Amino acid sequence: MTTTPSTLVEPDAWLEEIRLLRRTRRNPLLERTSAISETRTAFATPLASAAYLFGRTVEISPIDAVKRHSSGRYEILIENIYVPAQRKIECRFRAPAHLLVMYDDGIRRDGETSIDDLAPSNLRNIANKLTFVPPNCIYNEWHEPRTPMRFSYLYLNLRRPDGPGHETTTYAPKVFFDDSAVWDTATKLRDVITNGKAGKPYVDALTNVLAHELLRSEKKISQDSSVSRGGLATWQMRAVARHIEERLCERTPLVTLAKLVRLSPSHFCRAFRQSFGIPPHEYHIRRRIEKAKALLAEREASVTGVGFALGYSHTSSFSVAFRKITGQTPIEFRRDFT
């Protein structure tokens, strides 16, 4: 569903309704009653039903600056956000839920991101970065985008992992961090919730893995100058990702990427998969489709034009690749942002 700009309902009202929903065993993320009205404020939030599980979602101002698409399932809420270039926005959040922010695309002309007492970050290129906000932490962010921005909010109720050593586990806030394992698991979780095709056991398993990966990420020692577990060093990952990103519409030979990071093609393939979780060719396709999502959110470009701009010679081949990654055709995806 595509959310409309709104504010959360009054606490007494939505608490009363959630009691009713629980008695009738309905899913509050998939159904809403007409008995509750929504009013417009300076900040945009998704449908009020999101508040039933999380109490609050990220507020974005101004309300007409972004496009928000929400999907909910099994007590998890996903919001996909699109921000055009040159539209300054402000975001704020504090709630009992865990919040994981996945920045798919975007370069800021200016901006700042902060959580509680952590030092604010003014990072400009935030593509492929993650930000984690534990419950009841104050998260503030503002962007002046130089390029269109796409990011996702994952609202979660992460439980403390079972087993020895986790009795006093707490999650720490993190701003703009890199972790391929967290990214890959969060991407899978986002996809299955958005597509609505996975059962609860699988979703629960992914959520548990994500909880473990976030804890592991907190304890991980930075390895910027060395190869980690047979994968690429951080500088190599950045160089390859930048090269691919700048040439999404082109076919980049494997040997070119390998030379870029001074490895043999066979060693590069193994190291790339170890670091990114997928082969170079699949990574290239996925980044193409992520770029296509940003272009499709702009109504001016046709589906055929987007496909051509990304190197697809036929609309049919673009549609097949897009549907394989997203579970939707380009036209179906664009309809969500109308």
Side-chain angles (χ1 to χ4, degrees), residues 7 33 59 102 109 127 173 194 200 208 267 275 298 330:
T7 184
T33 175
E59 299 173 329
M102 303 175 65
R109 187 186 312 278
T194 301
K200 191 173 187 303
N208 289 334
H267 185 185
S275 296
E298 294 285 357

Side-chain angles (χ1 to χ4, degrees), residues 180-205:
S180 59
V182 173
W183 183 276
D184 292 343
T185 305
T187 299
K188 290 179 184 178
L189 186 59
R190 178 177 63 179
D191 290 347
V192 299
I193 294 297
T194 301
N195 295 335
K197 296 180 179 179
K200 191 173 187 303
Y202 182 59
V203 172
D204 287 345

Side-chain angles (χ1 to χ4, degrees), residues 60-62 65-66 83 87-91 141-143 145 151:
I60 303 177
S61 172
V66 303
V83 187
R87 291 301 304 269
K88 180 180 178 179
I89 64 168
E90 297 180 26
C91 311
E141 184 168 63
W142 64 272
H143 307 286
F151 49 91

Side-chain angles (χ1 to χ4, degrees), residues 154-220:
L154 281 66
Y155 302 91
L156 309 155
N157 285 320
L158 298 177
R159 296 173 178 83
R160 187 178 65 196
D162 297 327
H166 295 295
E167 292 79 4
T168 59
T169 293
T170 58
Y171 292 92
K174 301 183 70 175
V175 174
F176 294 142
F177 66 99
D178 295 287
D179 191 297
S180 59
V182 173
W183 183 276
D184 292 343
T185 305
T187 299
K188 290 179 184 178
L189 186 59
R190 178 177 63 179
D191 290 347
V192 299
I193 294 297
T194 301
N195 295 335
K197 296 180 179 179
K200 191 173 187 303
Y202 182 59
V203 172
D204 287 345
L206 284 178
T207 305
N208 289 334
V209 171
L210 182 59
H212 281 279
E213 293 294 357
L214 285 167
L215 290 174
R216 177 200 53 78
S217 180
E218 293 175 14
K219 302 173 183 177
K220 183 177 65 175

Side-chain angles (χ1 to χ4, degrees), residues 12-285:
D12 291 344
W14 68 258
L15 281 173
E16 181 58 32
E17 182 159 344
I18 193 170
R19 294 189 188 101
L20 175 62
L21 290 171
R22 284 170 176 168
R23 287 199 298 270
T24 55
R25 296 177 178 270
R26 292 190 295 167
N27 187 335
L29 284 172
L30 301 179
E31 298 184 86
R32 60 186 295 224
T33 175
S34 60
I36 291 185
S37 62
E38 295 180 325
T39 59
R40 185 183 295 263
T41 67
F43 280 80
T45 62
L47 294 175
S49 57
Y52 297 156
L53 292 178
F54 303 105
R56 179 176 293 275
T57 52
V58 176
E59 299 173 329
I60 303 177
S61 172
I63 58 177
D64 61 348
V66 303
K67 297 177 182 179
R68 302 178 79 149
H69 177 246
S70 298
S71 302
R73 194 173 176 84
Y74 306 128
E75 299 189 352
I76 296 174
L77 179 68
I78 309 293
E79 282 196 285
N80 295 314
I81 312 295
Y82 173 77
V83 187
Q86 317 302 326
R87 291 301 304 269
K88 180 180 178 179
I89 64 168
E90 297 180 26
C91 311
R92 64 188 186 193
F93 178 74
R94 184 179 185 180
H98 300 79
L99 173 67
L100 181 65
V101 188
M102 303 175 65
Y103 303 89
D104 294 282
D105 290 296
I107 299 176
R108 306 193 288 195
R109 187 186 312 278
D110 198 5
E112 183 176 279
T113 302
S114 64
I115 305 175
D116 280 355
D117 296 328
L118 289 183
S121 173
N122 303 110
L123 185 68
R124 297 291 185 265
N125 187 350
I126 61 176
N128 301 316
K129 297 294 184 181
L130 295 157
T131 290
F132 180 64
V133 185
N136 300 311
C137 289
I138 299 174
Y139 163 66
N140 287 296
E141 184 168 63
W142 64 272
H143 307 286
E144 284 187 8
R146 184 160 67 87
T147 64
M149 299 179 66
R150 284 191 322 102
F151 49 91
S152 297
Y153 295 134
L154 281 66
Y155 302 91
L156 309 155
N157 285 320
L158 298 177
R159 296 173 178 83
R160 187 178 65 196
D162 297 327
H166 295 295
E167 292 79 4
T168 59
T169 293
T170 58
Y171 292 92
K174 301 183 70 175
V175 174
F176 294 142
F177 66 99
D178 295 287
D179 191 297
S180 59
V182 173
W183 183 276
D184 292 343
T185 305
T187 299
K188 290 179 184 178
L189 186 59
R190 178 177 63 179
D191 290 347
V192 299
I193 294 297
T194 301
N195 295 335
K197 296 180 179 179
K200 191 173 187 303
Y202 182 59
V203 172
D204 287 345
L206 284 178
T207 305
N208 289 334
V209 171
L210 182 59
H212 281 279
E213 293 294 357
L214 285 167
L215 290 174
R216 177 200 53 78
S217 180
E218 293 175 14
K219 302 173 183 177
K220 183 177 65 175
I221 299 175
S222 176
Q223 298 174 327
D224 285 353
S225 60
S226 63
V227 175
S228 175
R229 295 191 302 275
L232 298 172
T234 300
W235 73 267
Q236 293 173 313
M237 294 176 64
R238 289 174 178 167
V240 171
R242 187 184 306 112
H243 186 91
I244 292 175
E245 205 70 25
E246 292 172 351
R247 298 165 178 81
L248 286 178
C249 62
E250 304 173 9
R251 292 181 178 273
T252 304
L254 183 64
V255 65
T256 300
L257 296 176
K259 286 182 178 178
L260 185 67
V261 293
R262 302 194 289 272
L263 295 175
S264 69
S266 58
H267 185 185
F268 170 74
C269 283
R270 290 192 300 270
F272 186 98
R273 184 158 191 159
Q274 182 71 29
S275 296
F276 288 89
I278 52 178
H281 176 65
E282 185 176 347
Y283 176 86
H284 191 177
I285 293 176

